[in-house]
Each structure stands twice: as C-alpha cells, then as structure tokens.
C-alpha cells in the first residue's frame, strides 16, 4: 500500500501492486480486497487491458460472494467472463470461466457449474498445470456432492497427482479432503483417517482455518463412526467448534454445534446431544438445510429420553424441513436446466447470425 501511494510507478506496476494486495487480503480482509480490485480495475481500463479488467472484475465478484450478494456477484462474474473471452488470454479465460463455475457450485446449481468447469478445463490445457489441478479438484468436489463417487475419484486422483508433482500443498489439501470423504462413505475408515490427518496438518502449515475446521469435523466423525473412539471424536469436534467461534461466522458455528451433537448421539449422551443441537437451533431456526440435522438430533435424543411431546414436535419440524429441501432441490435442478437451455439457444442464435453475416459479406 505504501509503495502504491508514495512511489512513482508506471500503470503496469500499479496494476501489479493492486493485484498483489487483493490476493493477500482476499481471505481475511474482504473490504481491502474490494478496494484494491476497484483501483486495479480503473487502472486496467485506463490502459485498455482487457485481461486485467477481467481479473479485477472476478476479484470484485468474489468479494460480493463473500458478502452473500449472489445477484451482484453473478453480474461481475459475467462481465469478467465476457472480457476474458475478448482478451484471448488463456489464463484469464480459465480463471473467469472456472470462477463462474465456483459461483454456481456454491449456489447448488451443479449442472451449470459442471458446464463452466468443463469449459475452463479446455482453456487450461495451454497454461500452467496448477490451474488444471484446481479445476479437476472442483469438478471432483461437485461429483462428490452429487454422490457420483466414481466420477469424483476420476477427477480427484489426477488433481492429487498434479498437486504432488508441482508440490502444491493447497491443491493436495483440497483433493485429499474430498477423497477422504469418499473413503469414509465407502467405510474405508483407515484411508479416510490417513487423508484427513494430512488435510489437518496441511491446513495448520498453511494457516487455513477453514480447512482446519472442516478436517477436524471430519476427524470427529471418523473417530465416532469408523473407530467408535468417543473421547477423540469429542476432542476434535470441540476444536472445530472453537475455530468456528473464533472465525465469527454464524453458519460455521451452527455446523460445528451439529457435528458435536452427532458425536454425543453416537455416545448415547442424549441430553448433551439435544443441548448441542438446541444451541444450533437457537442461532437460526429457519435454515431448512442445516435445520434437517438439528431437528433430527433434537427429536431422536428426546424420544430416547422419553420426552414424547418434544420428540413429536421436532419430528414434525424435521419432516417439514425435508419436504422443503426436496422441493428446493427439484426447483433448482429445473431452473439450472432452463439456464443451460437458454444459454445453448442464445449460442445457436449467435452462430446463425455469424453465418448470415458471412454470407452477406461474401
């Protein structure tokens, strides 16, 4: 910041400084990342550098994603993609296209997310392998979310190999996290444990609190369900909760309370299970996604403690949340397919106009 404000730099040098400040600030100081993305964007426009305009527009979009403003984020993502394609820069095209994929993935629109990831994968063929690694890992993560485990592994294993080849600790951490969950689903507890311990160690080395929290929750589940080691499971769940509370994001704290509640349920500590789930319930009783796990644990714990009225009440709430979840998933899938159809229709129309233009020119 001092160099940017006090030194006589060329426009190219100023753009590079803005880019570095954004990258450094993106995870923990969103306001600063946004400020220097805007500064960088103005400089890129002044220089008429479409590739860097696209890069900074993607940075601004990521900030709006972090602030939970998806409509504004999507607008900036689309502008970034348009300029990236105009620029002809394969790296910028890869970043902009895969960023749109990340956006749709976070929104739960997996069909559209995969479409953009596949396009980004094609763009990435001519640039550094680290970008290909990230996209492969993202595709694998989407397929894991869709419970297509074979396809997930098909993309995650090459991502892991590239990460080991280029010594990318972050890439390795990301791939191992998803592969660990797949191993856990397949009841390969030893493999799941091996992967998640590596993820936990890498997250601490990289000071990545998000992956540390996620890996600790996963380790709690592995020790609880895979090895039936109650004390270790509780220890990891408590660590995950402490990190989430320090981070200060309510959604993450709720997930941590639910994870701890699951551990207590497995231990048959029904009062502790209900209390932990209730903590999450008090923070947000309207979120039907997290509400499914919360209401289920409260209902089951109270049923096993003989509190019939409370158990019945929360079984009803759990049923309602499940119906809302099914309805939302169906609606999003249909909307996702409609977006894809409209996009393909638009692309066909553009292609037809281009042919018509060529014909008349001839």
């Amino acid at each position: 910041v001092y160099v940017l404000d006090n030194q006589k730099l060329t426009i190219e040098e100023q753009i590079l400084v803005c880019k570095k400040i954004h990258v450094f600030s993106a995870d923990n100081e969103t306001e600063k990342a946004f400020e220097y993305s805007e500064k960088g964007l103005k400089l890129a426009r002044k220089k008429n550098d479409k590739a860097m305009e696209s890069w900074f527009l993607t940075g601004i979009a990521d900030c709006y994603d972090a602030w939970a403003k998806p409509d504004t984020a999507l607008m900036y993502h689309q502008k970034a993609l348009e300029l990236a394609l105009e620029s002809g820069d394969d790296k910028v095209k890869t970043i902009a296209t895969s960023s749109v994929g990340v956006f749709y993935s976070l929104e739960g629109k997996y069909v559209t997310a995969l479409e953009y990831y596949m396009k980004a994968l094609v763009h990435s063929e001519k640039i550094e392998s680290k970008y290909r690694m990230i996209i492969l890992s993202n595709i694998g993560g989407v397929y894991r979310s869709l419970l297509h485990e074979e396809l997930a592994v098909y993309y995650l294993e090459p991502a892991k190999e590239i990460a080991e080849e280029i010594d990318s600790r972050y890439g390795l951490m990301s791939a191992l996290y998803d592969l660990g969950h797949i191993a856990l689903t397949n009841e390969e507890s030893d493999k799941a444990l091996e992967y998640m311990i590596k993820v936990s160690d890498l997250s601490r080395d990289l000071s990545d609190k998000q992956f540390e929290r996620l890996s600790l929750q996963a380790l709690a589940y592995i020790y609880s369900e895979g090895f039936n080691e109650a004390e270790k499971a509780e220890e990891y769940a408590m660590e995950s909760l402490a990190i989430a509370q320090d981070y200060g994001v309510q959604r993450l704290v709720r997930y941590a309370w639910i994870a701890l509640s699951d551990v207590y349920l497995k231990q048959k500590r029904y009062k502790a299970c209900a209390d932990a789930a209730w903590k999450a319930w008090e923070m947000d009783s309207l979120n039907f996604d997290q509400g499914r796990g919360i209401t289920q644990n409260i209902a089951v714990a109270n049923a096993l403690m003989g509190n019939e009225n409370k158990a019945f009440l929360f079984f009803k709430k759990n049923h309602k949340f499940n119906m809302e979840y099914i309805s939302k998933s169906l609606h999003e899938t249909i909307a996702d397919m409609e977006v894809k159809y409209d996009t393909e229709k638009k692309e066909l129309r553009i292609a037809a106009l281009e042919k018509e233009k060529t014909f008349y020119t001839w």
Side-chain angles (χ1 to χ4, degrees):
V1 177
Y2 174 83
V3 172
L4 191 64
D5 293 340
N6 296 281
Q7 302 294 316
K8 291 182 179 180
L9 303 175
T10 64
I11 290 182
E12 291 86 351
E13 288 170 335
Q14 290 176 61
I15 287 171
L16 185 60
V17 171
C18 287
K19 184 178 178 181
K20 285 181 176 178
I21 293 171
H22 170 88
V23 171
F24 184 77
S25 309
D27 288 336
N28 302 311
E29 297 179 271
T30 311
E31 295 285 350
K32 183 184 280 189
F34 181 80
E35 178 188 348
Y36 282 92
S37 284
E38 284 203 312
K39 284 184 179 180
L41 180 61
K42 286 176 184 175
L43 291 164
R45 283 176 175 162
K46 189 175 179 181
K47 191 174 178 292
N48 195 26
D49 186 337
K50 289 184 178 180
M52 287 312 303
E53 277 188 67
S54 173
W55 195 95
F56 285 115
L57 283 166
T58 296
I60 292 169
D62 290 340
C63 292
Y64 280 113
D65 275 329
W67 292 328
K69 294 182 178 178
D71 293 339
T72 309
L74 181 58
M75 181 183 74
Y76 279 99
H77 277 305
Q78 288 171 335
K79 283 183 183 177
L81 181 56
E82 186 180 328
L83 281 169
L85 296 174
E86 286 178 21
S87 76
D89 186 310
D90 285 313
K91 186 184 290 187
V92 175
K93 285 194 285 186
T94 301
I95 292 168
T97 310
S98 62
S99 293
V100 178
V102 171
F103 170 83
Y104 281 115
S105 181
L106 291 172
E107 291 292 301
K109 297 179 179 179
Y110 296 125
V111 175
T112 306
L114 283 171
E115 182 185 350
Y116 281 99
Y117 282 146
M118 292 302 180
K119 287 178 180 177
L121 200 57
V122 174
H123 295 317
S124 73
E125 287 176 359
K126 297 176 184 177
I127 59 174
E128 302 102 303
S129 55
K130 70 175 182 179
Y131 293 98
R132 189 170 183 80
M133 170 196 73
I134 293 165
I135 298 161
L136 287 167
S137 191
N138 286 343
I139 293 171
V142 169
Y143 278 124
R144 182 177 76 81
S145 298
L146 292 169
L147 305 179
H148 293 311
E149 290 172 8
E150 284 186 21
L151 277 171
V153 172
Y154 178 81
Y155 287 96
L156 289 167
E157 283 293 348
K160 175 175 167 284
E161 286 170 17
I162 294 171
E164 290 170 337
E165 204 174 285
I166 65 174
D167 194 26
S168 170
R169 291 184 295 169
Y170 186 86
L172 183 61
M173 179 173 68
S174 180
L176 287 175
Y177 177 76
D178 281 313
L179 286 168
H181 271 288
I182 291 168
L184 186 57
T185 303
N186 293 332
E187 297 183 356
E188 298 174 303
S189 300
D190 290 329
K191 185 188 282 189
L193 180 63
E194 178 192 344
Y195 285 168
M196 283 304 171
I197 285 174
K198 282 184 182 176
V199 173
S200 182
D201 290 342
L202 284 166
S203 68
R204 289 193 177 100
D205 289 344
L206 295 165
S207 300
D208 190 314
K209 291 296 180 183
Q210 287 284 49
F211 264 107
E212 186 179 358
R213 177 187 64 81
L214 289 167
S215 62
L216 289 169
Q217 279 187 15
L219 285 167
Y221 189 83
I222 291 166
Y223 276 113
S224 179
E225 298 294 324
F227 296 100
N228 202 24
E229 293 188 32
E231 285 185 16
K232 276 193 174 180
E234 185 177 353
E235 178 188 331
Y236 283 118
M238 292 295 287
E239 276 189 65
S240 176
L241 175 61
I243 291 170
Q245 288 173 329
D246 285 343
Y247 205 71
V249 178
Q250 277 205 333
R251 174 175 55 86
L252 305 182
V253 176
R254 285 197 303 274
Y255 274 128
W257 277 118
I258 295 166
L260 187 59
S261 174
D262 288 339
V263 169
Y264 288 143
L265 185 61
K266 177 69 176 177
Q267 294 175 356
K268 298 183 180 180
R269 294 168 61 184
Y270 303 126
K271 176 72 167 60
C273 167
D275 288 345
W278 186 256
K279 291 273 190 185
W281 178 255
E282 283 184 318
M283 294 176 74
D284 186 357
S285 61
L286 300 176
N287 185 317
F288 66 79
D289 190 14
Q290 293 180 339
R292 291 181 301 140
I294 296 168
T295 51
Q296 177 177 294
N297 281 9
I298 294 174
V300 170
N302 277 283
L304 292 168
M305 287 189 293
N307 301 330
E308 294 177 7
N309 291 337
K310 197 165 187 178
F312 180 71
L313 173 65
F314 276 89
F315 274 126
K316 280 178 68 178
K317 289 182 186 293
N318 181 250
H319 177 72
K320 181 185 174 186
F321 279 131
N322 282 326
M323 291 300 101
E324 286 181 13
Y325 176 77
I326 291 167
S327 175
K328 180 176 181 284
S329 298
L330 180 61
H331 175 75
E332 285 180 348
T333 301
I334 292 169
D336 214 10
M337 292 173 73
E338 285 174 350
V339 168
K340 186 178 179 183
Y341 171 72
D342 287 341
T343 303
E344 287 175 352
K345 190 165 66 173
K346 183 180 177 184
E347 286 173 353
L348 286 170
R349 177 65 180 150
I350 290 167
L353 287 170
E354 285 296 321
K355 284 183 180 178
E356 191 176 323
K357 182 181 174 184
T358 304
F359 172 75
Y360 281 117
T361 302
W362 180 82

